[in-house]
Amino acid sequence: MTDTQSAALSTRLNWLRAGVLGANDGIISTAGLVVGVAGATTSRSAIVAAGVAGLLAGSLSMAAGEYVSVSSQRDSEEAALDFERRELAEAPQEELVELTDLLVARGLSRDLAREAAEQLTERDALRAHARVELGINPDELANPWHAAFASLIAFTAGAVLPLLAIVLPGASSRVPVTVGAVLAALALCGVAGARLGGAPIPRAVLRNVAGGALAMAVTYAVGTWLGT
């Protein structure tokens, strides 16, 4: 696998992992909200209003947070590239020595590292230093709009499940159906997250399911208490 293919695979895995986490957040936060409201009232319209409001608020909040976070990351990457560009213009020989030392630190012999550094510098000095020294691919800087849109979609996709589960059944079975559907979805998210991250599946599933169950139990208890 080439460096480009490896970087692309890593990027795709990061997006998938972020998608799973976003959906997980959407499931838990919306489930906690609608179950809490269902504990306080049997009014379908009140539950729908609360669920839709929570979905919109959560998805937009996630999108805004990702946009700000990734924008800061991109600003840092661009600043690092600008600084490296100035160093290459002002002290090219020193930068060549630095690149050679970095390649030696990665396991190349001094002679081979020098030859590789010279060839990389001739081809594209900034790209070489960006990859080896900074760990940045100049062609794949973080995109805040992509991150914001992906978070919005992932959160919304996760939030739709508990919203439908609480609205479609009758009043007497709303909470049990929602709890069952949410815990099953969280288990699947736990499996997906564990596989993407290379972590033990049982632990991830248990952590996910326990967290969701606790959130729903607390909000339902509070809702019931406030409703009475």
Side-chain angles (χ1 to χ4, degrees):
M1 181 180 295
T2 65
D3 290 343
T4 301
Q5 291 172 326
S6 178
L9 177 60
S10 177
T11 300
R12 285 196 295 271
L13 289 176
N14 286 336
W15 280 113
L16 287 171
R17 190 175 295 111
V20 170
L21 293 175
N24 197 73
D25 288 343
I27 293 170
I28 293 178
S29 61
T30 306
L33 176 61
V34 296
V35 167
V37 176
T41 179
T42 58
S43 171
R44 187 186 300 270
S45 60
I47 296 172
V48 170
V52 171
L55 184 154
L56 293 174
S59 60
L60 293 175
S61 175
M62 286 282 290
E66 278 296 300
Y67 180 82
V68 171
S69 175
V70 177
S71 291
S72 298
Q73 178 185 341
R74 186 184 180 95
D75 290 344
S76 298
E77 292 173 344
E78 290 178 340
L81 290 174
D82 287 341
F83 181 76
E84 196 64 37
R85 192 177 287 111
R86 288 196 301 271
E87 284 191 325
L88 288 168
E90 296 170 1
Q93 289 305 312
E94 287 80 353
E95 288 300 294
L96 179 60
V97 172
E98 182 181 28
L99 183 58
T100 301
D101 291 339
L102 289 170
L103 293 174
V104 169
R106 292 193 172 193
L108 298 182
S109 66
R110 172 66 59 176
D111 291 340
L112 182 57
R114 177 72 180 193
E115 181 181 353
E118 290 174 348
Q119 291 183 10
L120 290 171
T121 299
E122 290 176 3
R123 182 177 303 171
D124 192 329
L126 180 61
R127 184 184 301 278
H129 281 268
R131 285 180 174 274
V132 178
E133 182 179 349
L134 304 176
I136 297 174
N137 184 346
D139 296 328
E140 297 181 3
L141 297 183
N143 189 313
W145 288 108
H146 288 173
F149 184 72
S151 293
L152 186 148
I153 294 300
F155 186 96
T156 301
V160 165
L161 172 69
L163 184 56
L164 292 177
I166 200 77
V167 169
L168 295 180
S172 61
S173 57
R174 283 174 184 163
V175 173
V177 168
T178 302
V179 170
V182 166
L183 294 183
L186 290 176
L188 291 176
C189 285
V191 171
R195 287 184 174 176
L196 288 171
I201 290 178
R203 184 189 308 168
V205 170
L206 178 61
R207 184 169 53 228
N208 236 25
V209 170
L214 178 62
M216 288 186 289
V218 170
T219 56
Y220 183 75
V222 172
T224 301
W225 175 63
L226 292 176
T228 57

